Amino acid sequence: HAALLHDGLARHGLLDHEPLLLRHARQALRWRTTEPDAPPVLGGTRFGGAPDLPPGQPYPTTDGKPWHFYAQLDLDAIAGLQSWLPRTGRLYFFAESQDPSDGVRVLHDTSPRASLAPPTWGPEVDSVDDIDVSRAYKGYRAVVDATVSLPILYNGHDRYTGEDAGLMEIHGDDALSDTYAELADELAFSPDNQHGVHLQNAFVFTQHESPEEQSVALQRGSPGEWVVLLRLGSDQHPGFEFWDAGTLTFTIHRKDLALGDFSRVLGFIES
């Protein structure tokens, strides 16, 4: 990751800021959807579609209406790319609706792959926000690689002060700011990507407070104690569209993540 960051800074003429960025940049994962998951790979990574749930695990519902399912991540397949998530099993990501006041849920399961099965729905079953489940998001496979996520400097004057204030010098210089944005996009996205990119342990652009800062306001700790489990972007492949081309972010406290407790995950939509 340090080499990836160094090469990017060298290409964009930003090496003077390498010490600060080494301290603040994050090791991240970048997911890009590729082709329909048809037939579905049992227990494999999937964005959209339906989850492969273990025996006895109910699908999240409210008053009998299903929540939205967004992603199933095969943790065994990415164990060598990251150090902050469980090493085995799967993570499942759900949200009640696209209303920020509604809930999200993340499940972690390590059941044998052969025991998993997708949920079965009757005809014309509507989700919480009255979308026909049979016409929900299409399931897509995805590729993943390790990348570096650069700090979001927009509205960052209160975040980067003292010895970190040099980062705001980038933001205050139009030419440097444009160059920095090019590098950040290069690391977060890819030139050949025509669809959505989904990130883990990454910084998330917001108009005001970051998801980590919003998490502190709702629960506890400091922003640095919160982890972005997954940042979903609008994606034409499965059909994700969060408000007008926004993002849906799931966060978890580091202590909960270390304990494997996903019961207090929070969700935030930004447009």
Side-chain angles (χ1 to χ4, degrees), residues 47 69 87 97 119 123 147 159 174 210 229-230 241 252 268:
F47 287 83
F69 167 70
R87 316 304 292 165
S97 74
T147 190
R159 297 185 197 118
D174 288 345
S210 69
L229 267 181
L230 181 63
E241 185 173 356
I252 187 171
F268 305 97

Side-chain angles (χ1 to χ4, degrees), residues 125-126 130-138 238:
V125 174
D126 289 340
D130 298 323
I131 296 175
D132 187 342
V133 172
S134 66
R135 295 186 285 106
Y137 305 119
K138 300 176 182 177

Side-chain angles (χ1 to χ4, degrees), residues 3 5 13 57 64 73 88 128 166 168-169 180 213-214 218 222 232:
L5 176 62
Q57 174 61 60
L73 303 184
T88 61
V128 172
M168 298 314 300
E169 294 176 6
Y180 183 86
E213 291 165 339
Q214 295 177 65
L218 290 173
S222 64
L232 291 168

Side-chain angles (χ1 to χ4, degrees), residues 8 21 48 70 82 126 130 142-143 169 181 222 244 267:
L21 291 171
Y70 285 106
Q82 55 80 30
D126 289 340
D130 298 323
V143 295
E169 294 176 6
S222 64
D244 52 347

Side-chain angles (χ1 to χ4, degrees), residues 15-249:
L15 281 176
D16 287 348
H17 302 278
E18 186 171 25
L20 278 176
L21 291 171
L22 276 172
R23 188 158 70 244
H24 289 284
R26 296 177 182 172
Q27 299 178 15
L29 293 182
R30 173 175 59 180
W31 293 94
R32 289 166 285 173
T33 54
T34 55
E35 60 184 356
D37 189 30
V41 176
L42 189 66
T45 290
R46 179 182 310 127
F47 287 83
D52 303 317
L53 295 174
Q57 174 61 60
Y59 190 103
T61 61
T62 298
D63 298 329
K65 292 188 174 184
W67 288 21
H68 289 285
F69 167 70
Y70 285 106
Q72 170 178 292
L73 303 184
D74 181 355
L75 297 174
D76 296 79
I78 61 173
L81 292 177
Q82 55 80 30
S83 60
W84 60 90
L85 298 172
R87 316 304 292 165
T88 61
R90 290 151 298 279
L91 285 179
Y92 306 88
F93 294 82
F94 301 86
E96 189 170 9
S97 74
Q98 288 197 18
D99 186 326
S101 65
D102 288 338
V104 298
R105 187 170 302 170
V106 175
L107 306 175
H108 176 227
D109 179 72
T110 57
S111 300
R113 196 176 296 258
S115 70
L116 306 176
T120 55
W121 306 111
E124 298 183 359
V125 174
D126 289 340
S127 65
V128 172
D129 47 3
D130 298 323
I131 296 175
D132 187 342
V133 172
S134 66
R135 295 186 285 106
Y137 305 119
K138 300 176 182 177
Y140 266 77
R141 298 173 188 170
V143 295
V144 63
D145 59 357
T147 190
V148 174
S149 181
L150 297 185
I152 304 296
L153 303 183
Y154 179 82
N155 273 346
H157 292 90
D158 293 333
R159 297 185 197 118
Y160 304 111
T161 59
E163 62 181 354
D164 297 326
L167 288 176
M168 298 314 300
E169 294 176 6
I170 299 174
H171 187 63
D173 182 300
D174 288 345
L176 280 179
S177 182
D178 288 345
T179 301
Y180 183 86
E182 290 175 6
L183 175 57
D185 286 349
E186 176 185 303
L187 292 168
F189 304 103
S190 64
D192 61 345
N193 184 69
Q194 299 300 314
H195 297 276
V197 173
H198 314 292
L199 300 166
Q200 294 186 272
N201 199 40
F203 291 94
V204 178
F205 177 83
T206 68
Q207 292 289 337
H208 302 289
E209 292 83 8
S210 69
E212 297 91 335
E213 291 165 339
Q214 295 177 65
S215 299
V216 171
L218 290 173
Q219 286 199 5
R220 66 197 192 281
S222 64
E225 295 174 359
W226 286 85
V227 176
V228 172
L229 267 181
L230 181 63
R231 189 232 67 168
L232 291 168
S234 296
D235 186 343
Q236 295 175 12
H237 271 152
F240 299 161
E241 185 173 356
F242 306 108
W243 295 354
D244 52 347
T247 58
L248 170 60
T249 301

